[in-house]
Amino acid sequence: METFESSHVSKKKNTHVDLPGDIPQADLVKRFIRVNHAGEFGAKRIYEGQLAVLKDTQEAATIEHMKDQELHHLETFEKLIVDRQVRPTIFHPIWNAAGFALGVGTALLGPKAAMACTVAVEEVIDEHYADQVAQLTEDEKDLKETINRFREEELEHRDTAIDLGGETTPGYPVLRKTIRAGSKLAIWLSERF
Ligand SMILES: [Fe+2]
Ligand SMILES: [Fe+2]
């Protein structure tokens, strides 16, 4: 019998929403900057939420390091928002609260659940950034390089969280699935609004 876990690993559902093919590159770039700015802000808030709960644990320094990298990602997209005159997402206040709540909520379940959250979020961000890089032309070489560099750091976060037992937390498959769905919804909304 196929277990829930094996089914959710093997039947990799493609919930990715394709961008319409007729979006001009300039609009696509604005959309990417808007959503990445939102995502990096959300990531910072998740790690802040985790630290609010786990500040005295042995995971604190690792989480702090990941938060600092998110801060650098966020500052980069903040600059791009200004330089390229991109309107930030209207959901910004929501991601402020939701990101922090997600960080606190998972950390309250324990350090491993916090790491499970990081694994799930960073997996989605990895796919999201890879997707963007594939769509950008060579005219946006610098932006592509930035996204690729950040993507590598997101993958480091994922690997660190796996090393710290993220995948061994009780209820991991459900937690992962839920957080993935939430992250993808946040991406979808931030790209468009
Ligand atoms: Fe990031
Ligand atoms: Fe990250």
Side-chain angles (χ1 to χ4, degrees), residues 8-156:
H8 107 107
V9 170
S10 60
K11 285 182 219 145
K12 204 179 168 204
K13 264 188 257 161
N14 186 6
T15 50
H16 168 77
V17 180
D18 281 317
L19 294 164
D22 57 357
I23 292 185
Q25 181 88 179
D27 292 345
L28 204 61
V29 167
K30 286 198 170 193
R31 198 171 188 156
F32 287 175
I33 292 171
R34 177 183 306 121
V35 67
N36 296 356
H37 174 252
E40 297 297 353
F41 176 71
K44 180 186 92 116
R45 292 298 285 156
I46 291 171
Y47 289 123
E48 282 173 352
Q50 291 181 352
L51 279 169
V53 177
L54 302 171
K55 58 183 180 297
D56 296 324
T57 64
Q58 57 186 11
E59 286 83 5
T62 306
I63 299 171
E64 193 79 51
H65 173 67
M66 296 196 280
K67 191 195 79 179
D68 287 346
Q69 287 180 317
E70 301 301 357
L71 199 59
H72 172 65
H73 300 173
L74 175 61
E75 284 166 357
T76 304
F77 282 110
E78 260 167 7
K79 194 173 177 301
L80 282 164
I81 279 254
V82 176
D83 291 352
R84 305 285 192 104
Q85 298 177 313
V86 179
R87 172 185 59 75
T89 173
I90 59 167
F91 287 102
H92 204 73
I94 306 287
W95 306 151
N96 184 26
F100 192 77
L102 180 61
V104 169
T106 50
L108 284 172
L109 299 171
K112 284 185 179 166
M115 293 303 151
C117 171
T118 300
V119 177
V121 171
E122 300 293 13
E123 275 178 0
V124 173
I125 301 302
D126 166 45
E127 293 160 16
H128 168 71
Y129 278 169
D131 201 42
Q132 286 188 346
V133 166
Q135 291 184 69
L136 288 170
T137 63
E138 278 308 298
D139 293 347
E140 290 292 344
K141 200 167 164 285
D142 290 351
L143 182 60
K144 267 176 120 153
E145 278 173 14
T146 299
I147 294 172
N148 265 327
R149 205 166 57 242
F150 292 177
R151 182 177 166 223
E152 276 169 27
E153 292 184 348
E154 313 299 8
L155 286 170
E156 277 172 32

Side-chain angles (χ1 to χ4, degrees), residues 4-5 8-9 112-113 115-121 123 158 161-162 165-180:
F4 176 79
E5 194 160 358
H8 107 107
V9 170
K112 284 185 179 166
M115 293 303 151
C117 171
T118 300
V119 177
V121 171
E123 275 178 0
R158 181 204 61 189
I162 290 172
E167 294 175 321
T168 66
T169 197
Y172 176 70
V174 176
L175 199 60
R176 176 178 178 270
K177 203 178 172 189
T178 308
I179 293 171
R180 277 183 71 89

